Amino acid sequence: MAAITASMVSELRQATGAGMMDCKAALTETGGDIEAAVDWLRKKGLAKAAKKAGRVAAEGLVGIAVSGTRGVVVEVNSETDFVARNEQFQELVRSVAGVALGGNGDVEALKNAAHPAGGTVQEAVANAVATVGENMTLRRVGLLNVSQGVVASYMHNSVGDGLGKIGVLVALESSGNAEALQAIGRQVAMHIAATNPQGLDGNSIDPAIVERERAVLADKARSSGKPEAVIEKIVESGIKTFFKEVTLVDQPFVHDSSKTVAQAVNEAAKAAGAPIVLKGYLRFGLGEGIEKETSDFAAEVAAAAGGNA
């Protein structure tokens, strides 16, 4: 067998756009034959996938899988919402979430994990790209677990079991009744889906964000003529108000605005029969943070017609 060199891998990557490890595997399987390696990648769907990789995939689905004290949420993107309604794509996302449930929450590890249909998760995504004809990406994965208690979930804009547009997990640590924990956990998850808090509590907010808020509050008080002696008190009061707006535990509970989320969880502990600690949460909103391409349809038509009306 011919030795697989870096230049051979580079040549194959340029020809197909496939990943380095995929190219190395293709060359190994074909004894270093470049043309055969190209065909090998095409059969795997990896070359086709690479050609579509430049297209923005901001649609798709969020998937959730939960088992007792462990839960995961994944985001798999497609180019159009039409594909997201496809049963094959939905089953892909559901299967990826299932694999992620046994993983460590690392997206690269998940891509390289074994897929139930054979091969890796990344190969399963690439095969779907080749079949459907749209770019798809496994964008991210999140994991929550507790030593005892539950991981509750909620899916907003659900299109199927564990699939939708906004997926939320809530980790509650407690020795209390699991059914009662699931009930309050789901309510808190629904709250998170609606309010999208920036953090669990004040300590989880980026200090830079807090300092920026302090600076804004101080400048505002100073510009209104407040004496320096009272500005600090005004700033501290403003920070408390800020935390009530952006931190989960301090937000007014959407199911009963007369109490905070923390108070609602403490009250639920009575029904559960044991104290409840809100350990953490994850909220995945489909496509958040992805810069979507915008286009002027009229301009595209005019350009296609050579600019003539």
Side-chain angles (χ1 to χ4, degrees), residues 74-253:
V74 301
E75 180 180 358
V76 182
N77 298 119
S78 61
E79 291 181 53
T80 66
D81 183 60
F82 177 78
V83 166
R85 297 195 296 271
N86 178 281
E87 288 185 8
Q88 181 182 353
F89 180 77
Q90 292 180 8
E91 182 54 38
L92 171 68
V93 179
R94 191 176 286 113
S95 68
V96 170
V99 174
L101 192 58
N104 62 1
D106 178 77
V107 69
E108 292 304 319
L110 176 57
K111 289 177 180 179
N112 292 312
H115 189 269
T120 66
V121 167
Q122 182 61 31
E123 288 172 341
V125 173
N127 290 338
V129 172
T131 301
V132 176
E134 275 197 14
N135 185 25
M136 298 177 193
T137 57
L138 169 53
R139 184 185 179 204
R140 53 181 173 162
V141 58
L143 166 70
L144 283 182
N145 65 305
V146 290
S147 58
Q148 61 176 348
V150 302
V151 174
S153 66
Y154 170 70
M155 182 65 73
H156 189 63
N157 287 340
S158 177
V159 299
D161 185 28
L163 303 173
K165 302 294 186 181
I166 300 176
V168 181
L169 296 176
V170 175
L172 300 177
E173 194 164 78
S174 175
S175 61
N177 177 268
E179 187 174 341
L181 294 175
Q182 282 288 353
I184 185 62
R186 179 174 172 78
Q187 286 189 333
V188 173
M190 293 174 71
H191 171 100
I192 294 167
T195 65
N196 194 14
Q198 292 185 28
L200 179 65
D201 53 28
N203 292 328
S204 62
I205 302 297
D206 185 344
I209 294 177
V210 177
E211 286 307 307
R212 185 163 63 246
E213 188 68 18
R214 287 182 183 278
V216 169
L217 290 167
D219 288 347
K220 185 176 179 180
R222 197 169 287 114
S223 64
S224 64
K226 296 291 192 296
E228 291 294 327
V230 300
I231 287 179
E232 184 175 349
K233 293 181 179 180
I234 293 173
V235 170
E236 289 307 313
S237 176
I239 289 296
K240 290 180 180 179
T241 300
F242 173 68
F243 283 157
K244 288 179 182 179
E245 294 172 351
V246 303
T247 63
L248 175 60
V249 295
D250 292 323
Q251 286 180 332
F253 196 34

Side-chain angles (χ1 to χ4, degrees), residues 273-295:
I276 302 173
V277 178
L278 182 52
K279 296 292 289 185
Y281 72 90
L282 289 172
R283 181 188 189 277
F284 278 17
L286 179 66
E288 58 191 1
I290 298 177
E291 186 175 345
K292 300 183 181 181
E293 292 181 340
T294 58
S295 62

